[in-house]
Amino acid sequence: MFLFILSLTTLLSAQQPADFADPQIAAALSNISAGQVQSDIEKLVSFQNRSTLSAQDAESIKAGRGVGAAREWIKSEFERYSRDCGGCLDVKTDSFTQPVSERVASPTVLTNVYAVLRGTNPEDAKRIVLVTGHYDSRNSTNENVTDPAPGANDDASGTAVSLECARVLSKLHFSGTIIFLTVAGEEQGLYGSKHFAEFAKTQGWDIEAVLNNDIVGGDQSPGQDPKVVRVFSESIPDNATEKQLRAIGALGGENDSPSRELARYVAQAARAYQLEVAPLLEFRRDRYLRGGDHISFNEQGFAAVRLTEFHENYTRQHQNVRTENGTEYGDLPKFVNFDYVANVARVNASTLASLASAPAPPKNVRLETKQLVNDSTLAWDAPADGRAVSYEVLWRATSAPDWEHSQAAGKEAKATIPVSKDNMIFAVQTVDESGHRSLPIVPVPAR
Ligand SMILES: [Zn+2]
């Protein structure tokens, strides 16, 4: 009886995961503008057809037609934001020739455009958080590169999220690095993101988080919920080894991939900043029959999630612009809810800014399993950046979808929680002097 009372008291004294909001980040979020999002989307639509296979010669770029003109405009926008912050953004392109492949009939130059906001702390600057959307579009036919393919929702909306995050966050300083990316080649088979993710892997980049925004326009048809954005995350890491798969199966780790911890972090950031659009966690990699650029990053072992509106309207995606039997087809700006896109941009920016402000996550997190005891001892190593002033332990029931409890663990790189590890899933995060928290890291068993 005594033990029961003790553990109940301890559970009651444990907090729900804390809602920490940084006033500077909150101010930046309020600068995200639905008007700017609208003008970005309308500008992208003005290029008529942004198919990866469409025109990119100098004359078409000058005329404002095709994927080449879209690419040049995105680059010029990043450069404009950089001028406004004293050159704080490094604006780059990643160009390559996609060989003949599925839906690419002849070798085609693809160009990803991105801007790097380098971290101010030399050690932390190696850690990267990244937001992406695809700027290419398509209509009913992959090969039709001249008739309108407005792609306002799919995916000028996601491109506008990357642009708006860059515009607003480039006015702040972060200890970690943020990359604002827009890719091509999505509609043919994720070719742009695949190239970028492979490049990142070969460069040894430490990408901690990827937020892929694809179809975040909040299409205004019946069934839409403008208060919700779905966040898809993989269960089992795409690149898990045989040994890791066995451990996941034995200990119930299928709900705790790094991508899923990232999804929970996105939801936590939206709660902390009391945003108008709430993430709805979808515990699967993507929708049925569909894929997206986050998968390219998952394949290279990076934590990556997909954000998508709650209810999709399939008469508008990948359609020639036309009216048939009174139904309007085509992905036009008039169907997009610009306030919604701005709110989704806030969900992204709050996550990016929180992670880029936080210390590196704890290293080598382990759960002691050498003795059969009814409490749980965790230990870890401090990250190299020296910015963690304390640690926090999170836990939840094995059947719970999200973290239920947290406990401050002070400066010691060790904590004992008086609940049984057999019934709980734990994680540890670092906390800096202001209260920014890292991604939570789930322990591995240690004897
Ligand atoms: Zn798309």
Side-chain angles (χ1 to χ4, degrees):
M1 193 59 200
F2 174 72
L3 271 175
F4 169 73
I5 292 168
L6 180 72
S7 66
L8 186 66
T9 314
T10 312
L11 276 176
L12 289 175
S13 72
Q15 309 275 312
Q16 292 230 301
D19 283 339
F20 167 76
D22 175 332
Q24 266 201 310
I25 295 174
L29 299 181
S30 68
N31 287 334
I32 288 177
S33 150
Q36 182 64 46
V37 162
Q38 177 171 358
S39 81
D40 290 348
I41 291 174
E42 286 172 350
K43 183 70 185 182
L44 286 161
V45 171
S46 79
F47 301 118
Q48 287 280 359
N49 185 316
R50 306 190 306 279
S51 166
T52 300
L53 314 174
S54 68
Q56 44 181 318
D57 58 285
E59 206 170 307
S60 303
I61 290 171
K62 206 168 160 217
R65 292 281 181 275
V67 72
R71 172 192 80 207
E72 291 304 314
W73 175 75
I74 292 165
K75 189 160 170 276
S76 71
E77 282 297 280
F78 281 141
E79 284 163 348
R80 184 165 72 85
Y81 306 156
S82 188
R83 282 195 298 277
D84 289 347
C85 63
C88 74
L89 294 173
D90 205 355
V91 181
K92 292 175 176 260
T93 52
D94 163 36
S95 269
F96 63 100
T97 300
Q98 175 67 31
V100 173
S101 37
E102 206 189 342
R103 298 195 204 111
V104 179
S106 58
T108 302
V109 174
L110 262 75
T111 303
N112 302 316
V113 187
Y114 62 108
V116 182
L117 180 61
R118 199 156 300 283
T120 54
N121 176 301
E123 189 60 37
D124 259 354
K126 296 176 197 158
R127 297 190 299 119
I128 297 167
V129 293
L130 184 151
V131 59
T132 187
H134 70 88
Y135 71 90
D136 63 316
S137 69
R138 61 163 289 174
N139 54 32
S140 301
T141 313
N142 180 55
E143 290 72 28
N144 182 341
V145 299
T146 46
D147 288 327
N153 193 347
D154 186 11
D155 185 30
S157 66
T159 304
V161 167
S162 278
L163 284 168
E164 193 58 355
C165 286
R167 188 182 71 82
V168 165
L169 295 182
S170 58
K171 296 184 165 68
L172 303 184
H173 300 288
F174 299 99
S175 54
T177 294
I178 307 180
I179 292 181
F180 309 94
L181 172 65
T182 67
V183 299
E186 198 273 349
E187 300 293 5
Q188 284 69 37
L190 315 180
Y191 296 132
S193 57
K194 212 164 265 199
H195 188 268
F196 192 90
E198 284 170 8
F199 171 73
K201 180 80 178 181
T202 56
Q203 296 293 306
W205 288 3
D206 178 11
I207 300 183
E208 208 170 76
V210 174
L211 307 177
N212 172 33
N213 292 268
D214 197 350
I215 313 178
V216 291
D219 177 87
Q220 305 184 69
S221 47
Q224 190 58 278
D225 184 346
K227 297 284 176 206
V228 164
V229 62
R230 292 180 291 170
V231 180
F232 289 86
S233 57
E234 65 180 3
S235 296
I236 299 190
D238 192 83
N239 67 337
T241 62
E242 278 300 316
K243 193 180 166 203
Q244 286 168 328
L245 288 175
R246 276 199 299 278
I248 287 167
L251 295 165
E254 55 281 293
N255 202 5
D256 284 277
S257 67
S259 297
R260 188 135 309 156
E261 303 312 349
L262 171 59
R264 293 186 179 104
Y265 194 99
V266 173
Q268 172 72 24
R271 277 196 298 274
Y273 288 94
Q274 302 182 324
L275 301 182
E276 284 179 42
V277 164
L280 173 65
L281 301 188
E282 297 289 0
F283 287 173
R284 53 169 47 117
R285 187 156 69 155
D286 209 327
R287 301 100 75 230
Y288 283 92
L289 298 172
R290 316 289 290 277
D293 292 314
H294 58 305
I295 294 173
S296 297
F297 289 92
N298 286 155
E299 284 171 353
Q300 300 303 321
F302 298 120
V305 299
R306 177 199 184 115
L307 286 83
T308 297
E309 64 188 12
F310 179 69
H311 184 268
E312 293 175 72
N313 185 334
Y314 304 111
T315 60
R316 290 171 188 167
Q317 299 174 11
H318 301 183
Q319 295 284 349
N320 287 343
V321 179
R322 67 194 192 278
T323 301
E324 258 174 37
N325 302 323
T327 301
E328 279 190 283
Y329 291 83
D331 191 354
L332 297 165
K334 67 175 175 179
F335 302 128
V336 170
N337 176 345
F338 303 110
D339 284 317
Y340 178 81
V341 183
N343 281 323
V344 173
R346 289 183 183 103
V347 172
N348 280 267
S350 63
T351 304
L352 296 167
S354 298
L355 286 174
S357 301
K363 304 286 175 220
N364 191 22
V365 182
R366 52 215 187 262
L367 176 63
E368 285 183 10
T369 58
K370 56 177 175 266
Q371 286 167 326
L372 294 175
V373 290
N374 276 308
D375 54 17
S376 307
T377 296
L378 296 108
W380 54 88
D381 300 335
D385 61 18
R387 292 183 52 238
V389 298
S390 66
Y391 301 93
E392 200 148 274
V393 179
L394 306 175
W395 70 95
R396 65 178 205 275
T398 56
S399 57
D402 204 351
W403 301 114
E404 297 175 313
H405 310 284
S406 74
Q407 190 164 298
K411 287 179 179 185
E412 296 296 315
K414 190 171 185 171
T416 297
I417 309 294
V419 293
S420 169
K421 56 189 165 294
D422 297 330
N423 309 334
M424 298 294 166
I425 292 171
F426 292 97
V428 182
Q429 55 190 171
T430 54
V431 186
D432 78 353
E433 58 184 358
S434 314
H436 303 106
R437 286 159 170 79
S438 74
L439 279 169
I441 304 295
V442 174
V444 294
R447 290 195 207 211

